[in-house]
Amino acid sequence: MTTEKLADPKPSDEVMGQGTNTAYCQTTPLYVDGNESASSALKSLAEEAKLATKDVKAPSNSVLTICKSLLAGGVAGGVSRSAVAPLERLKILLQVQNAYNPKYSGMVQGLRSIWATEGLAGFFKGNGTNCARIIPNSAVKFYSYEQASKSLLWFYRQQTGQEDAELSPLLRLGAGACAGIIAMSATYPMDMVRGRLTVQTADSPYRYKGMVHAFKTIIKEEGPRAVYKGWLPSVIGVVPYVGLNFAVYETLKDWIVKDPQFETAQESELGVVTKLLCGAAAGTVGQTVAYPLDVVRRRMQMVGWKDASPVITADGKVKAPAQYTGMIDAFRQTVRNEGFLALYKGLLPNSVKVVPSIALAFVTYEVMRDLLGVEIRISD
């Protein structure tokens, strides 16, 4: 009687948790026969389960993994922004300069003017503050995207019952928007200060001697809320900008990987050049949609600045810089006084800047994660 009970596959089914594995258990070399004891049967099944799952590694959420992910995102932000710092500064100067006495008429003339009046250092004015902002911003943004995409995918699977569902472009857009809002809000005061420092030129009164001095001066003269001037259009703009960046980048990569021609090439993953092109496309789409909000944000950041840069005051010879009561008023005054195209001032240098910037950010992030040995990439 004892051997008959041991030969009965029922206990094995209970241990495995699946009644459909009976035939498999009976044919496996580790399957117990009637001469073995019950403890031997359990041991054999445990060894079988271990062999079947030895290559499966659960993702780690340890502090070390989180730190590695944040570090990768921070390096990506610092590298990408420093590489295009001259174009970033020129873009902001074009966005906020007084329309009645403009100092910069275009990308080439603007770069030449900066070089002639301020030298090489002029191209990187405000970049230190920008890196101090963008490193934590980028770190939080990439990490937030990973967490948001996982959460949204889990919620989608729970609601639809599709356990094998994958991230769709819409889910990626939502995850990117969440990441952008979190990262931007966390580091916005530094962005506001960076905008003020960037606008100062060689003939400015140099009200701000650095990031810390700028913070103290702005809070003292304009109040603590001043460091969040332009925050609303930034929140609205970051949704399509960051959301589209992630959505377009990840979707393009997904399409290429699933393309039959890529599969026949027997490549394990996309090359750096392909990733750069995907990142460039993502940056182009995102910045074109969100650019008018970026112009309004910059202009609102300059409101209330005592002894502002001559770029804004036009040397005091013509009309004073516009004062805005809010985002809608800034839009209305800009279009009324300068025309609709004023919402796209600085778009050319920004387009030249954003393509390599976004591309470098994505590629640097993935390379850093590979070097640091982080288990899951953003695509996962």
Side-chain angles (χ1 to χ4, degrees), residues 24-347:
Y24 171 73
C25 293
Q26 289 175 331
T27 56
T28 181
L30 294 175
Y31 180 71
V32 295
D33 56 25
N35 296 325
E36 290 181 310
S37 65
S39 61
S40 178
L42 292 174
K43 182 178 179 181
S44 297
L45 288 172
E47 291 177 354
E48 186 178 50
K50 183 178 179 181
L51 289 172
T53 60
K54 66 178 183 178
D55 293 328
V56 178
K57 183 169 65 173
S60 172
N61 288 319
S62 66
V63 174
L64 180 60
T65 299
I66 294 173
C67 290
K68 287 181 178 179
S69 179
L70 291 173
L71 177 60
V75 172
V79 170
S80 63
R81 289 307 175 95
S82 295
V84 296
L87 292 169
E88 173 70 11
R89 186 182 181 216
L90 178 61
K91 177 203 75 171
I92 296 176
L93 290 170
L94 289 170
Q95 285 178 334
V96 303
Q97 69 176 344
N98 194 306
Y100 299 100
N101 186 26
K103 292 181 176 292
Y104 309 101
S105 59
M107 185 173 70
V108 176
Q109 183 272 336
L111 292 174
R112 285 179 176 174
S113 178
I114 293 172
W115 173 264
T117 57
E118 303 177 64
L120 181 63
F123 288 135
F124 294 91
K125 185 167 290 183
N127 187 57
T129 307
N130 193 26
C131 286
R133 176 192 70 90
I134 201 63
I135 288 175
N137 178 283
S138 182
V140 172
K141 180 173 66 178
F142 277 104
Y143 182 72
S144 297
Y145 176 78
E146 292 177 348
Q147 300 306 311
S149 60
K150 292 176 188 176
S151 300
L152 287 175
L153 181 59
W154 176 86
F155 181 77
Y156 179 77
R157 288 174 174 176
Q158 293 295 315
Q159 294 298 312
T160 61
Q162 302 176 15
E163 295 298 328
D164 58 345
E166 297 180 356
L167 281 170
S168 65
L170 185 60
L171 290 176
R172 291 188 178 115
L173 179 63
C178 292
I181 292 173
I182 293 171
M184 184 277 300
S185 298
T187 59
Y188 189 80
M190 283 188 284
D191 181 65
M192 193 273 187
V193 169
R194 191 264 303 206
R196 294 274 184 101
L197 290 171
T198 301
V199 169
Q200 293 184 144
T201 59
D203 53 352
S204 293
Y206 286 104
R207 291 283 298 168
Y208 308 127
K209 301 175 182 178
M211 182 172 61
V212 175
H213 180 251
F215 264 115
K216 291 180 178 179
T217 305
I218 292 171
I219 292 174
K220 180 180 179 180
E221 295 182 350
E222 304 171 49
R225 295 179 61 183
V227 294
Y228 276 94
K229 285 181 178 179
W231 178 82
L232 181 58
S234 297
V235 169
I236 298 173
V238 83
V239 171
Y241 181 65
V242 180
L244 284 171
N245 279 346
F246 278 107
V248 173
Y249 179 72
E250 291 296 302
T251 301
L252 283 176
K253 284 175 56 183
D254 191 49
W255 285 347
I256 294 173
V257 170
K258 292 180 179 178
D259 186 86
Q261 294 183 354
F262 182 81
E263 292 179 356
T264 56
Q266 296 182 349
E267 297 180 31
S268 59
E269 60 180 23
L270 297 178
V272 173
V273 175
T274 305
K275 290 178 182 178
L276 283 170
L277 293 175
C278 291
T284 301
V285 173
Q287 67 101 23
T288 301
V289 172
Y291 194 78
L293 287 159
D294 188 56
V295 172
V296 169
R297 170 183 64 143
R298 291 298 175 198
R299 293 193 169 199
M300 291 180 69
Q301 289 178 347
M302 304 301 143
V303 173
W305 183 4
K306 297 180 181 179
D307 299 321
S309 166
V311 173
I312 300 172
T313 62
D315 297 307
K317 298 177 182 178
V318 290
K319 290 186 179 181
Q323 302 294 308
Y324 310 114
T325 58
M327 182 182 71
I328 303 300
D329 183 51
F331 268 109
R332 184 170 55 247
Q333 287 199 50
T334 300
V335 174
R336 183 180 62 200
N337 297 332
E338 304 171 53
F340 179 78
L341 291 180
L343 295 174
Y344 286 90
K345 282 187 174 181
L347 180 63

Side-chain angles (χ1 to χ4, degrees), residues 363-375:
V363 173
T364 304
Y365 176 73
E366 295 199 5
V367 170
M368 284 299 298
R369 294 209 68 180
D370 288 341
L371 291 175
L372 295 171
V374 183
E375 293 91 341

